[in-house]
Amino acid sequence: MRDKHQREINYLRVSVTDRCNLRCRYCLPPEGVSLAPHGEILRLEEIERVVRAATLVGVRKVRLTGGEPLVRQGLARLVSMLAEIPEIDDLALTTNGTLLASRVRELKAAGLKRVNISLDTLRPERFSWITRGGELGDVFRGIEAALEFALHPVKLNVVVIEGFNADEVVDLARLTLERPLHVRFIELMPFGPAEEWAKTGFVSTAQVQARLEATFGTLTEVRKPAGSGPACYYRIADAPGTIGFISGVSGHICSRCNRLRLTAAGKLRTCLFSTEEVEFKRPLRSGATLPELAELFVQAVRKKAARKTAPGGEAMVKIGG
Ligand code: SAM
């Protein structure tokens, strides 16, 4: 459905768990966050019901995320349940990749179409530091497995931070030269533990692009279908893969926002930055019909803000070039 700002809302991101097996320093505090008790988390059948209701208002793409979605028991079963919904034409997963190699076969067989894998650095010691103990080799095994099982396009998400990995953007972009990998540089967004860090660590898309073009020459923009999300894509001449930029801070991505977010505890958010939520779990558990759940989507979409707002309610200020 269209919202009142004329955006076609067709994409639902579903957090299947609030748990994660890594503790990335810009994402989670060292002690982790308080986790919802098991019974508060939507069951797989409940998630499927919400997705079915979402299709009644025009949702066609679903992405499973977290937390780390691969730590959720029964994930492959959920994938197969969602893959059977005829209206869903794109079913993707965002993962840190560490558990992917051992699970990729069952996920592919269940009907998963593609993956985004987070990969902030190519250096094992840096990876261990940023994730507070992760093994970079596990992620590479996950990337290889994704390629082997043709979960195309395999996208690698890199959050660029000055003083951590900004000196690696050229090496990361080189990954697109040999394999059909799509490396996407993401601006650090100032929330949670990143709020303070972003003051010194923020690197804009324009800065990353300038660094890449100093090495590779002018990047050629790759056309993408309308409505395909906030990333802009480029290619180094003759590379099988592409380079993407997601300018969540410096760019004007809100006008192209097509997404809704369902939290693991069953609350719908219309913006990553919004704290306003529509409750789905209670209606689900008290027997709401699919049209009644769809009506909750309609109400939420009606309230979707034109632009992202900071926690205090102020429109986010554009920073960086
Ligand atoms: N565990 C999965 C993963 O690592 O991809 C899914 C959840 S994770 C929160 C989703 C993505 O959000 C990751 O690519 C992560 O790097 C990114 N992310 C987390 N905090 C961020 C921030 N402050 N700014 C930009 N991206 C962020």
Side-chain angles (χ1 to χ4, degrees):
M1 72 178 276
R2 272 186 191 276
D3 71 0
K4 62 180 185 219
H5 311 289
Q6 296 313 310
R7 296 170 298 196
E8 188 65 41
I9 309 301
N10 57 11
Y11 179 16
L12 179 64
R13 293 176 71 99
V14 178
S15 174
V16 297
T17 178
D18 52 1
R19 287 157 170 76
C20 190
N21 59 338
L22 297 178
R23 289 274 172 280
C24 294
R25 287 173 190 266
Y26 56 82
C27 189
L28 289 174
E31 67 283 7
V33 286
S34 60
L35 300 170
H38 202 64
E40 296 300 313
I41 298 294
L42 290 191
R43 293 187 286 269
L44 303 182
E45 290 71 15
E46 290 171 333
I47 294 175
E48 185 219 20
R49 212 165 152 68
V50 175
V51 172
R52 279 194 189 271
T55 66
L56 299 181
V57 298
V59 165
R60 296 292 175 262
K61 306 193 226 183
V62 172
R63 172 172 298 284
L64 303 177
T65 179
E68 171 48 43
L70 287 170
V71 305
R72 173 78 198 242
Q73 296 257 328
L75 183 72
R77 190 159 75 81
L78 176 65
V79 168
S80 66
M81 286 155 70
L82 300 182
E84 273 176 29
I85 302 176
E87 292 85 358
I88 297 299
D89 52 33
D90 188 12
L91 182 53
L93 177 75
T94 291
T95 171
N96 62 38
T98 55
L99 303 170
L100 188 58
S102 59
R103 309 282 300 283
V104 69
R105 185 181 296 274
E106 59 169 341
L107 289 169
K108 177 79 183 187
L112 184 68
K113 293 226 167 84
R114 59 194 184 91
V115 283
N116 289 6
I117 300 174
S118 300
L119 176 73
D120 294 331
T121 174
L122 298 171
R123 303 194 192 174
E125 66 292 349
R126 284 188 181 179
F127 185 79
S128 171
W129 180 79
I130 196 78
T131 58
R132 298 192 177 93
E135 267 284 336
L136 184 58
D138 294 339
V139 184
F140 279 119
R141 279 186 282 282
I143 294 169
E144 287 304 325
L147 288 170
E148 187 189 337
F149 281 81
L151 288 171
H152 294 305
V154 177
K155 296 181 183 172
L156 305 181
N157 287 342
V158 182
V159 178
V160 184
I161 306 176
E162 197 60 66
F164 166 58
N165 62 354
D167 58 347
E168 290 188 67
V169 294
V170 167
D171 291 339
L172 285 155
R174 278 190 216 285
L175 296 176
T176 68
L177 293 174
E178 304 291 328
R179 322 284 293 276
L181 289 169
H182 305 275
V183 176
R184 305 177 338 145
F185 296 104
I186 299 175
E187 289 180 343
L188 178 67
M189 290 193 280
F191 54 63
E195 202 174 334
E196 265 310 298
W197 208 357
K199 290 179 187 158
T200 53
F202 179 78
V203 185
S204 69
T205 285
Q207 290 167 320
V208 176
Q209 188 165 352
R211 285 178 207 187
L212 297 182
E213 292 194 333
T215 300
F216 301 112
T218 305
L219 302 172
T220 312
E221 189 161 2
V222 179
R223 281 174 180 275
K224 54 173 192 164
S228 55
C232 296
Y233 289 96
Y234 296 79
R235 193 186 294 280
I236 303 171
D238 299 328
T242 61
I243 293 169
F245 296 105
I246 301 181
S247 315
V249 178
S250 73
H252 299 281
I253 60 174
C254 299
S255 62
R256 281 178 279 139
C257 183
N258 58 353
R259 57 190 60 181
L260 300 167
R261 297 167 184 274
L262 183 70
T263 69
K267 294 175 197 305
L268 190 76
R269 290 191 186 163
T270 54
C271 171
L272 179 60
F273 290 90
S274 157
T275 46
E276 218 177 283
E277 297 174 327
V278 174
E279 165 67 34
F280 271 73
K281 189 173 61 222
R282 225 176 307 116
L284 267 169
R285 293 187 179 175
S286 54
T289 62
L290 285 182
E292 283 165 351
L293 295 172
E295 181 54 31
L296 292 177
F297 275 105
V298 172
Q299 285 168 21
V301 168
R302 267 197 204 122
K303 285 194 255 168
K304 189 167 163 69
R307 303 185 283 153
K308 57 190 181 236
T309 47
E314 296 295 309
M316 292 264 301
V317 184
K318 181 177 181 300
I319 58 171

